[in-house]
Amino acid sequence: MEHYVCEQTELEERKMYYVALEGLEIGVILVNDQIHAIENTCPHFEGPVCLGNVSERVRMRMDENRMSEGDYHSKEEVNVVCPWHGFEFDIKSGECIADPQFVLRKFNPQVKDGKVYITI
Ligand code: FES
């Protein structure tokens, strides 16, 4: 069933917007101009994952000899970090970075006439 969430203009980059639908808590977030919606239940021990920090993945820069040249923040790869045990999840795929067996439940937000909807 399709549910109205909010006006598209209410969403701010990397700021979680919360909604309760059909008994589920869902976090809706704008990241790099894409809207994502995830259940606020961590697949590890059901922590409130949407309350965690949203941050760019830190990658190592390597030279041609595979020696480290320091790190950098990847603007294309953004993670949400569960506040309970620190598991990091890719906001696009929902997969846990350290252990892909843990995957966030995601929904597919739709924008119609400037309004955001989620189907559950
Ligand atoms: S409950 Fe989220 S990392 Fe453990």
Side-chain angles (χ1 to χ4, degrees), residues 41-49 81-89 96 102 104:
T41 303
C42 180
H44 182 225
F45 273 106
E46 301 185 356
V49 65
V81 185
C82 181
W84 278 14
H85 308 104
F87 280 29
E88 296 184 38
F89 297 89
C96 178
F102 296 109
L104 296 173

mmCIF file of all heavy atoms in Angstrom, residues 41-49 81-89 96 102 104, ligand 1:
data_model
loop_
_atom_site.group_PDB
_atom_site.id
_atom_site.type_symbol
_atom_site.label_atom_id
_atom_site.label_comp_id
_atom_site.label_asym_id
_atom_site.label_seq_id
_atom_site.Cartn_x
_atom_site.Cartn_y
_atom_site.Cartn_z
ATOM 1 N N THR A 41 15.444 -0.358 12.112
ATOM 2 C CA THR A 41 15.734 -1.573 12.877
ATOM 3 C C THR A 41 17.000 -2.184 12.309
ATOM 4 O O THR A 41 17.016 -2.657 11.173
ATOM 5 C CB THR A 41 14.573 -2.582 12.764
ATOM 6 O OG1 THR A 41 13.378 -1.955 13.208
ATOM 7 C CG2 THR A 41 14.847 -3.814 13.607
ATOM 8 N N CYS A 42 18.045 -2.179 13.101
ATOM 9 C CA CYS A 42 19.318 -2.743 12.650
ATOM 10 C C CYS A 42 19.213 -4.265 12.549
ATOM 11 O O CYS A 42 18.680 -4.914 13.453
ATOM 12 C CB CYS A 42 20.417 -2.358 13.644
ATOM 13 S SG CYS A 42 22.041 -2.986 13.202
ATOM 14 N N PRO A 43 19.711 -4.853 11.455
ATOM 15 C CA PRO A 43 19.648 -6.304 11.306
ATOM 16 C C PRO A 43 20.599 -7.051 12.249
ATOM 17 O O PRO A 43 20.541 -8.281 12.317
ATOM 18 C CB PRO A 43 20.032 -6.529 9.842
ATOM 19 C CG PRO A 43 20.832 -5.332 9.466
ATOM 20 C CD PRO A 43 20.292 -4.196 10.282
ATOM 21 N N HIS A 44 21.440 -6.335 12.970
ATOM 22 C CA HIS A 44 22.346 -6.984 13.920
ATOM 23 C C HIS A 44 21.582 -7.354 15.196
ATOM 24 O O HIS A 44 21.267 -8.515 15.408
ATOM 25 C CB HIS A 44 23.541 -6.065 14.215
ATOM 26 C CG HIS A 44 24.542 -6.663 15.149
ATOM 27 N ND1 HIS A 44 25.086 -5.958 16.190
ATOM 28 C CD2 HIS A 44 25.080 -7.906 15.190
ATOM 29 C CE1 HIS A 44 25.932 -6.738 16.835
ATOM 30 N NE2 HIS A 44 25.951 -7.928 16.245
ATOM 31 N N PHE A 45 21.231 -6.363 16.023
ATOM 32 C CA PHE A 45 20.456 -6.643 17.233
ATOM 33 C C PHE A 45 19.292 -5.675 17.386
ATOM 34 O O PHE A 45 18.921 -5.298 18.491
ATOM 35 C CB PHE A 45 21.345 -6.612 18.480
ATOM 36 C CG PHE A 45 22.017 -7.910 18.784
ATOM 37 C CD1 PHE A 45 23.381 -8.074 18.546
ATOM 38 C CD2 PHE A 45 21.306 -8.988 19.289
ATOM 39 C CE1 PHE A 45 24.016 -9.274 18.819
ATOM 40 C CE2 PHE A 45 21.932 -10.191 19.554
ATOM 41 C CZ PHE A 45 23.289 -10.343 19.323
ATOM 42 N N GLU A 46 18.748 -5.246 16.248
ATOM 43 C CA GLU A 46 17.535 -4.432 16.202
ATOM 44 C C GLU A 46 17.700 -3.052 16.832
ATOM 45 O O GLU A 46 16.751 -2.471 17.349
ATOM 46 C CB GLU A 46 16.346 -5.183 16.814
ATOM 47 C CG GLU A 46 16.073 -6.487 16.093
ATOM 48 C CD GLU A 46 14.834 -7.215 16.584
ATOM 49 O OE1 GLU A 46 14.204 -6.743 17.546
ATOM 50 O OE2 GLU A 46 14.507 -8.242 15.982
ATOM 51 N N GLY A 47 18.910 -2.529 16.808
ATOM 52 C CA GLY A 47 19.141 -1.173 17.299
ATOM 53 C C GLY A 47 18.509 -0.138 16.372
ATOM 54 O O GLY A 47 18.165 -0.427 15.229
ATOM 55 N N PRO A 48 18.350 1.095 16.884
ATOM 56 C CA PRO A 48 17.729 2.167 16.098
ATOM 57 C C PRO A 48 18.715 2.775 15.102
ATOM 58 O O PRO A 48 19.232 3.879 15.285
ATOM 59 C CB PRO A 48 17.323 3.175 17.175
ATOM 60 C CG PRO A 48 18.348 2.987 18.242
ATOM 61 C CD PRO A 48 18.723 1.537 18.244
ATOM 62 N N VAL A 49 18.958 2.050 14.034
ATOM 63 C CA VAL A 49 20.034 2.399 13.096
ATOM 64 C C VAL A 49 19.868 3.802 12.506
ATOM 65 O O VAL A 49 20.857 4.483 12.240
ATOM 66 C CB VAL A 49 20.152 1.313 12.000
ATOM 67 C CG1 VAL A 49 18.915 1.254 11.128
ATOM 68 C CG2 VAL A 49 21.397 1.506 11.163
ATOM 69 N N VAL A 81 25.671 4.685 10.359
ATOM 70 C CA VAL A 81 26.388 3.925 11.387
ATOM 71 C C VAL A 81 25.440 3.656 12.553
ATOM 72 O O VAL A 81 24.959 4.599 13.201
ATOM 73 C CB VAL A 81 27.617 4.709 11.893
ATOM 74 C CG1 VAL A 81 28.418 3.861 12.875
ATOM 75 C CG2 VAL A 81 28.491 5.161 10.725
ATOM 76 N N CYS A 82 25.164 2.388 12.804
ATOM 77 C CA CYS A 82 24.249 2.044 13.894
ATOM 78 C C CYS A 82 24.845 2.512 15.231
ATOM 79 O O CYS A 82 26.002 2.213 15.542
ATOM 80 C CB CYS A 82 23.990 0.537 13.927
ATOM 81 S SG CYS A 82 22.832 0.075 15.232
ATOM 82 N N PRO A 83 24.056 3.214 16.043
ATOM 83 C CA PRO A 83 24.594 3.748 17.299
ATOM 84 C C PRO A 83 24.844 2.687 18.372
ATOM 85 O O PRO A 83 25.527 2.964 19.350
ATOM 86 C CB PRO A 83 23.514 4.747 17.752
ATOM 87 C CG PRO A 83 22.265 4.269 17.115
ATOM 88 C CD PRO A 83 22.668 3.628 15.822
ATOM 89 N N TRP A 84 24.313 1.489 18.209
ATOM 90 C CA TRP A 84 24.495 0.487 19.262
ATOM 91 C C TRP A 84 25.867 -0.175 19.222
ATOM 92 O O TRP A 84 26.559 -0.231 20.216
ATOM 93 C CB TRP A 84 23.386 -0.570 19.187
ATOM 94 C CG TRP A 84 22.114 -0.116 19.876
ATOM 95 C CD1 TRP A 84 21.807 1.162 20.264
ATOM 96 C CD2 TRP A 84 21.008 -0.924 20.243
ATOM 97 N NE1 TRP A 84 20.571 1.181 20.838
ATOM 98 C CE2 TRP A 84 20.051 -0.081 20.852
ATOM 99 C CE3 TRP A 84 20.720 -2.276 20.111
ATOM 100 C CZ2 TRP A 84 18.832 -0.558 21.332
ATOM 101 C CZ3 TRP A 84 19.506 -2.744 20.582
ATOM 102 C CH2 TRP A 84 18.580 -1.888 21.194
ATOM 103 N N HIS A 85 26.266 -0.725 18.089
ATOM 104 C CA HIS A 85 27.557 -1.436 18.026
ATOM 105 C C HIS A 85 28.434 -0.949 16.885
ATOM 106 O O HIS A 85 29.451 -1.561 16.584
ATOM 107 C CB HIS A 85 27.337 -2.950 17.883
ATOM 108 C CG HIS A 85 26.412 -3.528 18.899
ATOM 109 N ND1 HIS A 85 25.127 -3.872 18.603
ATOM 110 C CD2 HIS A 85 26.588 -3.773 20.214
ATOM 111 C CE1 HIS A 85 24.527 -4.328 19.693
ATOM 112 N NE2 HIS A 85 25.389 -4.272 20.688
ATOM 113 N N GLY A 86 28.025 0.108 16.219
ATOM 114 C CA GLY A 86 28.883 0.732 15.213
ATOM 115 C C GLY A 86 28.932 0.071 13.856
ATOM 116 O O GLY A 86 29.791 0.420 13.043
ATOM 117 N N PHE A 87 28.032 -0.862 13.566
ATOM 118 C CA PHE A 87 28.034 -1.443 12.224
ATOM 119 C C PHE A 87 27.717 -0.340 11.211
ATOM 120 O O PHE A 87 26.801 0.454 11.431
ATOM 121 C CB PHE A 87 26.987 -2.554 12.100
ATOM 122 C CG PHE A 87 27.412 -3.877 12.675
ATOM 123 C CD1 PHE A 87 28.298 -3.968 13.725
ATOM 124 C CD2 PHE A 87 26.882 -5.055 12.157
ATOM 125 C CE1 PHE A 87 28.680 -5.198 14.256
ATOM 126 C CE2 PHE A 87 27.246 -6.288 12.682
ATOM 127 C CZ PHE A 87 28.141 -6.362 13.729
ATOM 128 N N GLU A 88 28.451 -0.340 10.106
ATOM 129 C CA GLU A 88 28.219 0.654 9.058
ATOM 130 C C GLU A 88 27.489 0.004 7.893
ATOM 131 O O GLU A 88 27.855 -1.089 7.454
ATOM 132 C CB GLU A 88 29.548 1.223 8.566
ATOM 133 C CG GLU A 88 30.288 1.989 9.633
ATOM 134 C CD GLU A 88 31.560 2.625 9.109
ATOM 135 O OE1 GLU A 88 31.566 3.100 7.959
ATOM 136 O OE2 GLU A 88 32.545 2.623 9.850
ATOM 137 N N PHE A 89 26.477 0.701 7.395
ATOM 138 C CA PHE A 89 25.663 0.190 6.291
ATOM 139 C C PHE A 89 25.707 1.163 5.119
ATOM 140 O O PHE A 89 25.526 2.367 5.311
ATOM 141 C CB PHE A 89 24.207 0.007 6.742
ATOM 142 C CG PHE A 89 24.050 -1.012 7.836
ATOM 143 C CD1 PHE A 89 24.148 -0.638 9.174
ATOM 144 C CD2 PHE A 89 23.842 -2.348 7.532
ATOM 145 C CE1 PHE A 89 24.011 -1.570 10.192
ATOM 146 C CE2 PHE A 89 23.705 -3.296 8.541
ATOM 147 C CZ PHE A 89 23.793 -2.904 9.873
ATOM 148 N N CYS A 96 25.779 -4.205 5.146
ATOM 149 C CA CYS A 96 26.783 -3.892 6.157
ATOM 150 C C CYS A 96 28.163 -3.966 5.506
ATOM 151 O O CYS A 96 28.469 -4.926 4.794
ATOM 152 C CB CYS A 96 26.681 -4.890 7.307
ATOM 153 S SG CYS A 96 27.910 -4.637 8.590
ATOM 154 N N PHE A 102 24.420 -8.938 6.957
ATOM 155 C CA PHE A 102 23.491 -8.009 7.593
ATOM 156 C C PHE A 102 23.091 -6.947 6.575
ATOM 157 O O PHE A 102 23.951 -6.216 6.061
ATOM 158 C CB PHE A 102 24.137 -7.345 8.817
ATOM 159 C CG PHE A 102 24.478 -8.294 9.910
ATOM 160 C CD1 PHE A 102 25.803 -8.613 10.185
ATOM 161 C CD2 PHE A 102 23.477 -8.891 10.668
ATOM 162 C CE1 PHE A 102 26.123 -9.492 11.196
ATOM 163 C CE2 PHE A 102 23.797 -9.778 11.685
ATOM 164 C CZ PHE A 102 25.115 -10.081 11.950
ATOM 165 N N LEU A 104 20.117 -3.882 5.697
ATOM 166 C CA LEU A 104 18.988 -3.068 6.133
ATOM 167 C C LEU A 104 17.771 -3.349 5.259
ATOM 168 O O LEU A 104 17.903 -3.608 4.062
ATOM 169 C CB LEU A 104 19.330 -1.579 6.003
ATOM 170 C CG LEU A 104 20.465 -1.045 6.862
ATOM 171 C CD1 LEU A 104 20.767 0.392 6.471
ATOM 172 C CD2 LEU A 104 20.091 -1.129 8.334
HETATM 173 S S1 FES B 1 22.296 -3.371 16.800
HETATM 174 FE FE1 FES B 1 23.133 -2.211 15.193
HETATM 175 S S2 FES B 1 25.217 -2.712 15.207
HETATM 176 FE FE2 FES B 1 24.352 -3.940 16.723
#
